[in-house]
Amino acid sequence: MQFGGFPRVLQVGCVVLVSVLGASRVSAQISQVLGGTGGQQQQACNPTDPGCQQTVDQIRNPPQVNVQTTLPQGAVLDQTNQNTNANAQTGTQRQIQDLNAIEPKLPLDSPTEFQNMVANATGKMLPIYGAKLFRNPPSTFAPLNMVPVTPDYVVGPGDEVQVQIWGQVTLNGRFMVDRMGNIFIPQVGTVHVAGLRFMDLQSSLKTQIGRVFRNFDLNVNMGQLRSIQVFVVGQARRPGNYTISSLSTLVNALFVTGGPTPQGSVRHIQLKRNGQVIIDFDLYDLLLHGDKSKDVQLLPGDVIFIPPVGPQVALTGSVNVPAIYELKTANSSTVGEMIELAGGLTNVASSEKIRMERVDEGRGRSIVEIGIDAKGKATVVQDGDILSMIAVANQYKDAITLRGNVANPGRYSWKPGMRVKDLIPDKDSLITRDYWLKRAQLGQPGLTFIPTCAPDTPFGIPSLRYGIPVGEEGDNPNWRYSSTRNTNLFGLVFGNTEGVSSGMTDGPVTDGDLDCGKPNDFQTSASGTNDRYTPTLPLPTQANATTATATPQNGMPQQQTQSTAGGNRVSTAEASVGASSTQFRARFDVKLSEPDINWSYAVIERQSKENLTTSLLSFNLGKLVMGGDGSQNLELEPGDVVTIFSKADIHVPQAEQTRLVRLEGEFIGSGVYSVKPGETLRQLVQRAGGLTPEAYLYGSEFTRESTRRVQQQRLNEYIDQISLQATTNAASNANRSISAQDTAAAAAAAQQNQNIVNSLRQARATGRIVLELPPDSRDVSQLPDIQLEDGDRFIVPRIPSTVSVDGAVYNQNTFLYDPRRRVGDYVKLAGGTNRDADSSRAYVIRAGGDVISRQYSSSMLRGNGFDSLRLYPGDTVVVPLNLDRGKGMRLLVDIAQIVGQFGIAIAATNTLF
């Protein structure tokens, strides 16, 4: 194959080869200029030092001076591009950002032996004073290119001089000082500038240029500065050879190197130059007094030496800056000087004595107490001393403490002959400030509804609702409801949601105004809750809801109910009372703002001055304040603590408690009533006006808070027993497993049992007490004479007209009540039991709260008595699922397998023998 014009192709190839070789040679030459000769590698400078980047930039970007033609207004010697200056500044800023990004954080130092000794003696790990300053050394302490040059700065090789001349001659150039200390100015020649101070540089250049030109003026400035090398040795965190800016000082170098180690001195940092110590720098002068007068500028070849730490003394206790301090010289500092180093004593320090622990000549430790006076402060401290400043005791002289349910708790001055009546002169002194605050907040006007809807489209301001940015509303419920929409409502409730427990139902709840037209999730088919077979969440009631304190718009604490998953269904009585075509959310309630005062008991706590034992002196507060009984007006002594209790602090008898009982439903006067001493449920209903003609007394519900707590405790104990039994059975089944299938089945059963236990833990007791009223109860006289307690709730619904059938039937539904129909008739109306039903365990939940099951109502002599059981309005028939379905078939299969394996064994035995 021929390539057509082979000699031409060869020529092109030779040209390419020569170009590549030439580029390689040029690259090699550049590498030699930048990095040294041959295979030698240039010594890398410290990347954290700004001078390193400056030196590299100066080598890579040497200054260029271009002589241009003379213009009519005068000779133009040089005109550099302004973009070059901008690029140089941008590059410098980028270097600064890079240095800030890579600035390392120093690791924590291991505690020294003296720090450990102080920690064992005082229980606190004291820091070494001044060490925190070098934990995160900021790069801003290192001089940067844009820092102004001081007038006494000495120009040297490597510095860049900027010269600007105008007048008869025009010049704008940058000139690098060579190793001989000269710069070359076009048409002027070589000018020696090394060794000149910056303040003398301008006059010297003007003299040299004035020999050639006349009628001109000039401005001289410094460009990029040279870098210098210094050595940091001794007890430094990062000792070594550093290339830093020529503007760097001793303090700058200390920050670059991380400062002294815990074993290094901060009071004797030496700067050596030409073998001589020119500065003995004390860092305490800078830290305590801001004195930087001994911070000198560094020169090439300087050595910074950090010697080992000197004598140390620890100060702890009531001083402003507790730490470990280094002494300037041994046996020369006093206690007073050390207190000044620590910032002085705090305002709670004792003025009596100082405890000093001392190491006695390396043999042991001793404790000495010295006074805080001129003589004590003149005590000379030694290496290893620990000074502990004692704080004053929290003891009040001649004071009486009043606390508890009072208007002005606090400490009062004791006077001879002072008595309890002097602290509590009248009844008003027993009303707390919280009581008046909450009472005042009850009368504050406030919005309960915001007549607007949240924006649904981005055409408005989607992130700004009602003028408040989302996320900035804070914890206040007023602003929270203003910035985000409450998804539980059609309208927007503003703040106050008090009394939710008595008004929440399954249906939509509104506050009676604006409807934004967007249905809630539970009303749509997507949620699935409109299906009868979907288990509904229980409605929050006083018995099956957990309460949490919230702050409404008026500032009053309130009880918000939160429905608990897995709780019991709402009772028929409460559902009947809350049934309404338009349901509102309850917002107000009557309850105690603060607990009442315990009039029968108050106490004085007194400590004996003789044996320091504490005794309690009780008195009757009611007889003292309201009755004026002088025998209860006990005399007080200094240091006594008088405590006034409320009925919430100490439980008093029921007759003395303030009891509020709620009557709801079909009463002539439904409401919240204060129970009189000894008043029963029947008497309270009679005092409320009795019942309405439509009252269904048989389906009433009586709940009690104390009963609910006991029921919940018993329920928790029962669930704990079930959980323990399930865990034991799971472990036993796992040990009996002989195959992978058995192991998987045991694990699945254990998980199922655990899920059941978790569901049971979600259940909440109702606190209902079954009154066992007859179905035909109509009169108040048939109510039991049960004593009432605080928090009791009695609900009497109207006579319902339905009976419900739930469980394993074909159509769970509610049917009209017919007195002629029995249990079997209503089950037939629901389609009968399905294949998963356990008909032998069906039961009826009476509207009165009792339960009747098939197991205890059937009789072979009388036939199927459960199906012929009479129902009453509000009753519910429940047919449970058969959870044991399929176990009989599994048992037959296991028996067949065992018999088959036994037959195979017999056949094998006959074959062998």
Side-chain angles (χ1 to χ4, degrees):
M1 179 182 295
Q2 295 182 358
F3 289 91
F6 177 78
R8 182 178 180 87
V9 175
L10 181 59
Q11 293 177 1
V12 174
C14 292
V15 172
V16 174
L17 181 60
V18 171
S19 301
V20 173
L21 292 177
S24 301
R25 184 174 181 181
V26 173
S27 300
Q29 293 176 357
I30 294 175
S31 300
Q32 292 177 4
V33 173
L34 295 178
T37 60
Q40 298 179 357
Q41 184 178 2
Q42 184 183 10
Q43 182 180 2
C45 59
N46 188 1
T48 62
D49 181 30
C52 174
Q53 283 297 119
Q54 298 171 12
T55 304
V56 175
D57 292 340
Q58 293 174 10
I59 297 176
R60 295 181 177 177
N61 301 316
Q64 297 180 359
V65 179
N66 298 326
V67 180
Q68 298 183 356
T69 58
T70 303
L71 296 179
Q73 63 271 22
V76 179
L77 300 182
D78 177 66
Q79 185 71 29
T80 57
N81 192 356
Q82 298 298 331
N83 293 334
T84 305
N85 298 334
N87 294 335
Q89 295 179 3
T90 304
T92 302
Q93 295 176 359
R94 187 179 299 109
Q95 294 172 14
I96 297 172
Q97 295 176 359
D98 294 341
L99 288 174
N100 292 334
I102 66 175
E103 187 68 33
K105 290 186 178 181
L106 299 180
L108 293 176
D109 298 315
S110 299
T112 62
E113 188 175 2
F114 184 57
Q115 283 182 293
N116 290 329
M117 187 188 75
V118 174
N120 293 331
T122 64
K124 298 180 180 179
M125 181 65 70
L126 295 181
I128 297 177
Y129 184 74
K132 184 179 179 181
L133 188 64
F134 300 99
R135 278 287 300 123
N136 298 316
S139 61
T140 53
F141 276 85
L144 304 177
N145 290 342
M146 304 307 296
V147 176
V149 178
T150 57
D152 57 349
Y153 178 77
V154 179
V155 181
D159 287 337
E160 183 184 48
V161 180
Q162 297 179 358
V163 181
Q164 296 175 343
I165 304 175
W166 63 92
Q168 183 182 2
V169 62
T170 301
L171 172 65
N172 185 6
R174 296 170 177 264
F175 307 99
M176 181 70 66
V177 182
D178 58 18
R179 295 186 178 182
M180 300 301 295
N182 302 324
I183 62 174
F184 179 79
I185 301 177
Q187 299 184 17
V188 177
T190 301
V191 181
H192 187 76
V193 295
L196 294 176
R197 293 182 302 176
F198 177 67
M199 64 172 54
D200 303 329
L201 181 60
Q202 182 168 344
S203 60
S204 176
L205 289 179
K206 189 171 185 179
T207 302
Q208 296 292 334
I209 299 174
R211 297 175 182 177
V212 181
F213 299 100
R214 297 289 186 271
N215 300 325
F216 70 92
D217 202 352
L218 81 161
N219 180 39
V220 180
N221 201 350
M222 299 300 297
Q224 293 185 356
L225 303 180
R226 69 185 185 276
S227 299
I228 61 175
Q229 285 188 345
V230 295
F231 299 89
V232 181
V233 295
Q235 299 297 326
R237 294 182 186 271
R238 294 179 293 189
N241 180 17
Y242 286 85
T243 302
I244 59 178
S245 172
S246 56
L247 287 178
S248 298
T249 62
L250 176 60
V251 174
N252 300 142
L254 289 177
F255 277 98
V256 170
T257 59
T261 63
Q263 293 77 21
S265 174
V266 295
R267 308 206 66 175
H268 295 283
I269 301 175
Q270 301 175 3
L271 176 60
K272 296 184 177 182
R273 183 176 297 165
N274 299 326
Q276 301 293 330
V277 178
I278 64 171
I279 287 295
D280 187 1
F281 187 75
D282 187 358
L283 194 59
Y284 278 18
D285 294 339
L286 176 63
L287 298 178
L288 296 174
H289 310 293
D291 184 7
K292 201 167 175 274
S293 59
K294 292 186 178 181
D295 183 22
V296 298
Q297 186 173 343
L298 300 178
L299 296 180
D302 285 352
V303 177
I304 300 174
F305 175 71
I306 302 178
V309 66
Q312 290 180 321
V313 174
L315 275 80
T316 183
S318 296
V319 290
N320 290 318
V321 187
I324 296 176
Y325 294 87
E326 181 183 356
L327 303 180
K328 185 73 173 179
T329 56
N331 301 325
S332 62
S333 299
T334 62
V335 173
E337 294 174 353
M338 298 306 301
I339 293 176
E340 291 181 1
L341 288 180
L345 300 176
T346 63
N347 50 6
V348 296
S350 175
S351 59
E352 297 180 357
K353 58 184 177 179
I354 300 175
R355 185 169 59 248
M356 181 172 62
E357 299 183 21
R358 173 166 293 179
V359 178
D360 295 333
E361 298 179 357
R363 293 193 298 260
R365 293 194 295 178
S366 62
I367 298 179
V368 180
E369 291 186 354
I370 59 177
I372 307 181
D373 51 11
K375 182 179 178 181
K377 291 184 178 180
T379 304
V380 178
V381 295
Q382 299 179 4
D383 185 17
D385 285 352
I386 302 176
L387 301 179
S388 299
M389 311 303 166
I390 304 174
V392 296
N394 295 326
Q395 179 183 3
Y396 295 89
K397 182 180 179 181
D398 295 339
I400 301 294
T401 302
L402 177 63
R403 70 187 186 103
N405 203 96
V406 292
N408 298 305
R411 298 176 182 86
Y412 295 85
S413 177
W414 175 84
K415 299 177 182 179
M418 190 175 184
R419 295 182 177 273
V420 178
K421 191 70 173 179
D422 298 330
L423 291 178
I424 311 172
D426 50 26
K427 297 186 293 296
D428 293 338
S429 60
L430 297 174
I431 304 177
T432 63
R433 294 178 181 268
D434 290 341
Y435 174 83
W436 293 119
L437 176 62
K438 294 175 182 179
R439 277 300 182 95
Q441 291 173 342
L442 287 176
Q444 292 180 357
L447 294 176
T448 58
F449 180 76
I450 302 177
T452 184
C453 295
D456 296 329
T457 62
F459 293 102
I461 306 179
S463 63
L464 190 65
R465 300 180 181 180
Y466 314 121
I468 301 171
V470 176
E472 298 183 6
E473 62 273 4
D475 297 332
N476 192 302
N478 300 337
W479 300 117
R480 184 169 65 252
Y481 281 115
S482 299
S483 60
T484 56
R485 184 179 180 184
N486 187 354
T487 57
N488 295 328
L489 307 175
F490 274 110
L492 293 174
V493 172
F494 188 79
N496 195 344
T497 57
E498 188 173 2
V500 174
S501 59
S502 61
M504 292 186 64
T505 58
D506 278 331
V509 182
T510 181
D511 50 7
D513 205 333
L514 182 65
D515 186 354
C516 294
K518 182 178 179 180
N520 290 326
D521 293 336
F522 66 83
Q523 293 177 313
T524 62
S525 59
S527 62
T529 55
N530 57 347
D531 192 348
R532 286 285 297 175
Y533 290 93
T534 303
T536 58
L537 291 175
L539 296 177
T541 63
Q542 185 178 3
N544 63 0
T546 58
T547 60
T549 302
T551 305
Q553 186 269 342
N554 57 8
M556 281 289 294
Q558 60 185 6
Q559 299 293 329
Q560 283 187 339
T561 59
Q562 180 181 359
S563 59
T564 306
N568 299 323
R569 290 175 178 267
V570 67
S571 63
T572 305
E574 186 173 2
S576 301
V577 169
S580 177
S581 58
T582 303
Q583 298 171 6
F584 295 84
R585 184 184 296 274
R587 295 194 300 265
F588 302 101
D589 195 3
V590 177
K591 56 186 178 182
L592 295 178
S593 300
E594 288 290 310
D596 289 339
I597 300 173
N598 186 352
W599 291 104
S600 61
Y601 178 79
V603 69
I604 300 174
E605 181 182 351
R606 179 174 297 171
Q607 186 182 54
S608 174
K609 301 298 186 296
E610 299 177 356
N611 53 14
L612 301 181
T613 58
T614 302
S615 59
L616 299 179
L617 305 178
S618 62
F619 60 93
N620 191 298
L621 183 64
K623 293 181 180 180
L624 173 64
V625 177
M626 295 184 295
D629 189 353
S631 62
Q632 304 298 322
N633 192 13
L634 303 180
E635 185 176 359
L636 300 176
E637 295 182 3
D640 285 352
V641 179
V642 181
T643 304
I644 306 300
F645 296 96
S646 68
K647 295 181 179 179
D649 300 324
I650 298 179
H651 297 291
V652 298
Q654 288 288 337
E656 298 181 10
Q657 292 183 2
T658 301
R659 295 168 293 173
L660 299 181
V661 176
R662 179 185 292 268
L663 300 180
E664 298 181 80
E666 298 299 323
F667 295 96
I668 299 298
S670 300
V672 180
Y673 291 87
S674 177
V675 180
K676 298 179 181 180
E679 191 172 19
T680 62
L681 176 62
R682 181 190 304 170
Q683 296 171 351
L684 178 62
V685 173
Q686 290 176 350
R687 182 158 63 94
L691 304 173
T692 64
E694 297 183 354
Y696 188 41
L697 201 57
Y698 176 67
S700 61
E701 176 186 354
F702 183 81
T703 58
R704 174 165 291 176
E705 180 62 23
S706 60
T707 303
R708 186 198 64 80
R709 290 194 295 266
V710 174
Q711 290 177 353
Q712 188 64 46
Q713 179 65 24
R714 299 292 181 266
L715 180 61
N716 294 339
E717 294 176 357
Y718 173 68
I719 296 173
D720 292 338
Q721 295 178 0
I722 294 178
S723 178
L724 179 61
Q725 183 177 0
T727 304
T728 305
N729 293 339
S732 177
N733 294 335
N735 294 331
R736 290 197 302 264
S737 301
I738 58 178
S739 63
Q741 183 178 2
D742 294 341
T743 303
Q751 182 62 36
Q752 183 178 6
N753 292 337
Q754 185 62 38
N755 294 337
I756 295 175
V757 172
N758 294 337
S759 300
L760 290 176
R761 293 192 185 279
Q762 301 291 333
R764 295 294 179 265
T766 62
R768 181 174 183 177
I769 299 177
V770 179
L771 301 181
E772 298 182 1
L773 298 173
D776 56 350
S777 300
R778 293 289 185 274
D779 190 30
V780 178
S781 60
Q782 296 178 292
L783 289 174
D785 273 337
I786 181 173
Q787 295 291 330
L788 297 176
E789 297 181 4
D790 183 35
D792 287 350
R793 186 184 183 192
F794 188 42
I795 302 175
V796 178
R798 61 182 300 179
I799 301 176
S801 57
T802 58
V803 171
S804 299
V805 179
D806 289 335
V809 294
Y810 285 100
N811 182 23
Q812 302 181 77
N813 217 324
T814 301
F815 305 94
L816 292 176
Y817 172 73
D818 188 348
R820 296 170 299 178
R821 291 174 179 169
R822 298 297 184 260
V823 172
D825 299 330
Y826 283 104
V827 172
K828 291 180 181 179
L829 290 177
T833 59
N834 55 29
R835 65 178 66 183
D836 298 327
D838 188 1
S839 302
S840 61
R841 288 179 172 81
Y843 58 93
V844 174
I845 302 177
R846 294 292 192 186
D850 53 342
V851 178
I852 300 176
S853 64
R854 180 186 292 273
Q855 297 170 274
Y856 298 99
S857 61
S858 299
S859 175
M860 296 182 62
L861 299 177
R862 294 180 297 144
N864 193 358
F866 182 78
D867 290 339
S868 60
L869 182 67
R870 181 181 177 182
L871 297 180
Y872 299 100
D875 289 352
T876 302
V877 181
V878 181
V879 180
L881 293 173
N882 186 4
L883 300 179
D884 296 333
R885 182 180 179 87
K887 290 186 177 181
M889 183 62 66
R890 177 63 181 174
L891 180 61
L892 293 177
V893 172
D894 293 340
I895 294 175
Q897 290 179 353
I898 294 173
V899 172
Q901 292 175 0
F902 185 70
I904 294 173
I906 294 176
T909 302
N910 293 332
T911 304
L912 294 176
F913 301 100

Short mmCIF file of all heavy atoms in Angstrom, two decimals, residues 20 62 65 157 163 165 189 201 205 213 260 301 412 429 489 505 550 632 638 652 687 726 753:
data_model
loop_
_atom_site.label_atom_id
_atom_site.label_comp_id
_atom_site.label_asym_id
_atom_site.label_seq_id
_atom_site.Cartn_x
_atom_site.Cartn_y
_atom_site.Cartn_z
N VAL A 20 7.84 18.43 19.18
CA VAL A 20 7.67 17.77 20.48
C VAL A 20 8.94 17.82 21.29
O VAL A 20 8.96 18.13 22.49
CB VAL A 20 7.20 16.31 20.28
CG1 VAL A 20 7.18 15.58 21.63
CG2 VAL A 20 5.83 16.29 19.64
N PRO A 62 7.09 36.73 36.62
CA PRO A 62 8.03 37.85 36.78
C PRO A 62 7.43 39.12 36.22
O PRO A 62 6.67 39.10 35.27
CB PRO A 62 9.25 37.38 35.98
CG PRO A 62 8.71 36.43 34.98
CD PRO A 62 7.56 35.74 35.64
N VAL A 65 8.30 45.06 32.15
CA VAL A 65 8.33 46.52 31.97
C VAL A 65 8.46 46.78 30.48
O VAL A 65 9.42 46.34 29.84
CB VAL A 65 9.52 47.14 32.74
CG1 VAL A 65 9.54 48.64 32.52
CG2 VAL A 65 9.42 46.79 34.22
N PRO A 157 16.49 42.41 48.55
CA PRO A 157 16.33 41.59 47.34
C PRO A 157 15.04 40.78 47.40
O PRO A 157 14.72 40.19 48.44
CB PRO A 157 17.57 40.70 47.34
CG PRO A 157 18.57 41.44 48.14
CD PRO A 157 17.81 42.17 49.20
N VAL A 163 6.73 52.23 40.80
CA VAL A 163 7.11 53.61 40.56
C VAL A 163 6.14 54.22 39.56
O VAL A 163 5.90 53.66 38.49
CB VAL A 163 8.56 53.71 40.02
CG1 VAL A 163 8.95 55.18 39.80
CG2 VAL A 163 9.53 53.04 41.00
N ILE A 165 5.49 57.93 37.66
CA ILE A 165 6.05 59.26 37.39
C ILE A 165 5.12 59.97 36.43
O ILE A 165 4.63 59.38 35.46
CB ILE A 165 7.47 59.14 36.79
CG1 ILE A 165 8.39 58.32 37.73
CG2 ILE A 165 8.08 60.52 36.55
CD1 ILE A 165 9.76 58.07 37.15
N GLY A 189 18.62 53.89 34.26
CA GLY A 189 19.70 52.98 34.55
C GLY A 189 19.49 52.24 35.85
O GLY A 189 18.38 52.15 36.38
N LEU A 201 12.92 55.82 50.50
CA LEU A 201 13.01 55.29 49.15
C LEU A 201 12.56 56.32 48.12
O LEU A 201 13.20 56.48 47.07
CB LEU A 201 12.16 54.01 49.04
CG LEU A 201 12.16 53.32 47.69
CD1 LEU A 201 13.57 52.91 47.27
CD2 LEU A 201 11.23 52.09 47.71
N LEU A 205 14.94 57.78 45.01
CA LEU A 205 14.63 57.58 43.60
C LEU A 205 14.44 58.91 42.88
O LEU A 205 14.83 59.06 41.71
CB LEU A 205 13.38 56.71 43.46
CG LEU A 205 13.53 55.23 43.85
CD1 LEU A 205 12.20 54.50 43.68
CD2 LEU A 205 14.60 54.56 43.00
N PHE A 213 15.95 63.63 34.16
CA PHE A 213 14.75 64.37 33.77
C PHE A 213 14.52 65.52 34.74
O PHE A 213 15.02 65.55 35.87
CB PHE A 213 13.53 63.43 33.76
CG PHE A 213 13.65 62.27 32.80
CD1 PHE A 213 14.02 61.01 33.25
CD2 PHE A 213 13.39 62.46 31.46
CE1 PHE A 213 14.13 59.96 32.36
CE2 PHE A 213 13.49 61.40 30.58
CZ PHE A 213 13.86 60.15 31.02
N PRO A 260 3.46 27.68 71.99
CA PRO A 260 4.17 26.70 72.82
C PRO A 260 3.31 25.49 73.14
O PRO A 260 2.08 25.56 73.16
CB PRO A 260 4.53 27.49 74.08
CG PRO A 260 4.28 28.93 73.75
CD PRO A 260 3.22 28.95 72.70
N GLY A 301 16.91 34.52 58.85
CA GLY A 301 17.84 33.80 59.70
C GLY A 301 17.54 33.90 61.18
O GLY A 301 18.29 33.32 61.99
N TYR A 412 -37.55 36.98 104.23
CA TYR A 412 -37.93 38.18 104.96
C TYR A 412 -37.00 38.36 106.15
O TYR A 412 -36.49 37.39 106.74
CB TYR A 412 -39.38 38.09 105.43
CG TYR A 412 -40.38 38.07 104.30
CD1 TYR A 412 -40.73 36.88 103.67
CD2 TYR A 412 -40.98 39.24 103.86
CE1 TYR A 412 -41.65 36.85 102.63
CE2 TYR A 412 -41.91 39.23 102.83
CZ TYR A 412 -42.23 38.03 102.22
OH TYR A 412 -43.13 38.01 101.18
N SER A 429 -52.94 37.45 101.20
CA SER A 429 -51.52 37.10 101.08
C SER A 429 -51.32 35.64 100.71
O SER A 429 -50.19 35.21 100.49
CB SER A 429 -50.79 37.41 102.38
OG SER A 429 -51.36 36.68 103.46
N LEU A 489 -59.35 21.08 60.55
CA LEU A 489 -60.52 21.92 60.50
C LEU A 489 -60.78 22.41 59.10
O LEU A 489 -59.87 22.53 58.29
CB LEU A 489 -60.34 23.14 61.42
CG LEU A 489 -59.95 22.85 62.89
CD1 LEU A 489 -59.70 24.13 63.61
CD2 LEU A 489 -61.04 22.06 63.56
N THR A 505 -65.80 14.76 67.54
CA THR A 505 -66.55 13.62 67.03
C THR A 505 -65.93 13.15 65.75
O THR A 505 -64.94 13.67 65.29
CB THR A 505 -68.02 13.99 66.80
OG1 THR A 505 -68.06 15.08 65.88
CG2 THR A 505 -68.71 14.42 68.10
N ALA A 550 -51.40 22.96 76.91
CA ALA A 550 -51.09 23.89 75.82
C ALA A 550 -51.47 25.28 76.26
O ALA A 550 -52.19 25.48 77.23
CB ALA A 550 -51.82 23.51 74.54
N GLN A 632 -52.33 29.33 117.38
CA GLN A 632 -51.72 28.91 116.13
C GLN A 632 -50.70 29.93 115.60
O GLN A 632 -50.01 29.65 114.64
CB GLN A 632 -52.80 28.69 115.06
CG GLN A 632 -53.87 27.72 115.47
CD GLN A 632 -53.33 26.33 115.73
OE1 GLN A 632 -52.43 25.86 115.04
NE2 GLN A 632 -53.87 25.67 116.77
N PRO A 638 -34.77 32.88 113.73
CA PRO A 638 -33.96 33.05 112.51
C PRO A 638 -33.67 31.70 111.84
O PRO A 638 -33.34 30.72 112.51
CB PRO A 638 -32.68 33.71 113.02
CG PRO A 638 -33.07 34.35 114.30
CD PRO A 638 -34.13 33.49 114.90
N VAL A 652 -56.02 15.77 100.80
CA VAL A 652 -56.88 15.94 101.96
C VAL A 652 -58.10 15.05 101.80
O VAL A 652 -58.33 14.48 100.72
CB VAL A 652 -57.30 17.43 102.08
CG1 VAL A 652 -56.07 18.31 102.29
CG2 VAL A 652 -58.07 17.88 100.84
N ARG A 687 -80.48 18.72 92.22
CA ARG A 687 -80.16 20.15 92.31
C ARG A 687 -80.01 20.78 90.94
O ARG A 687 -80.24 21.99 90.77
CB ARG A 687 -78.87 20.32 93.12
CG ARG A 687 -78.45 21.76 93.33
CD ARG A 687 -77.53 21.88 94.54
NE ARG A 687 -76.29 21.15 94.35
CZ ARG A 687 -75.16 21.69 93.89
NH1 ARG A 687 -75.14 22.98 93.57
NH2 ARG A 687 -74.07 20.97 93.77
N ALA A 726 -45.45 -14.29 76.73
CA ALA A 726 -45.14 -14.40 75.30
C ALA A 726 -43.64 -14.56 75.08
O ALA A 726 -43.20 -15.34 74.22
CB ALA A 726 -45.67 -13.17 74.57
N ASN A 753 -47.10 -12.37 68.41
CA ASN A 753 -47.42 -12.13 69.82
C ASN A 753 -46.92 -10.76 70.27
O ASN A 753 -47.58 -10.07 71.05
CB ASN A 753 -46.80 -13.22 70.69
CG ASN A 753 -47.45 -14.58 70.45
OD1 ASN A 753 -48.59 -14.65 69.99
ND2 ASN A 753 -46.72 -15.65 70.73
#
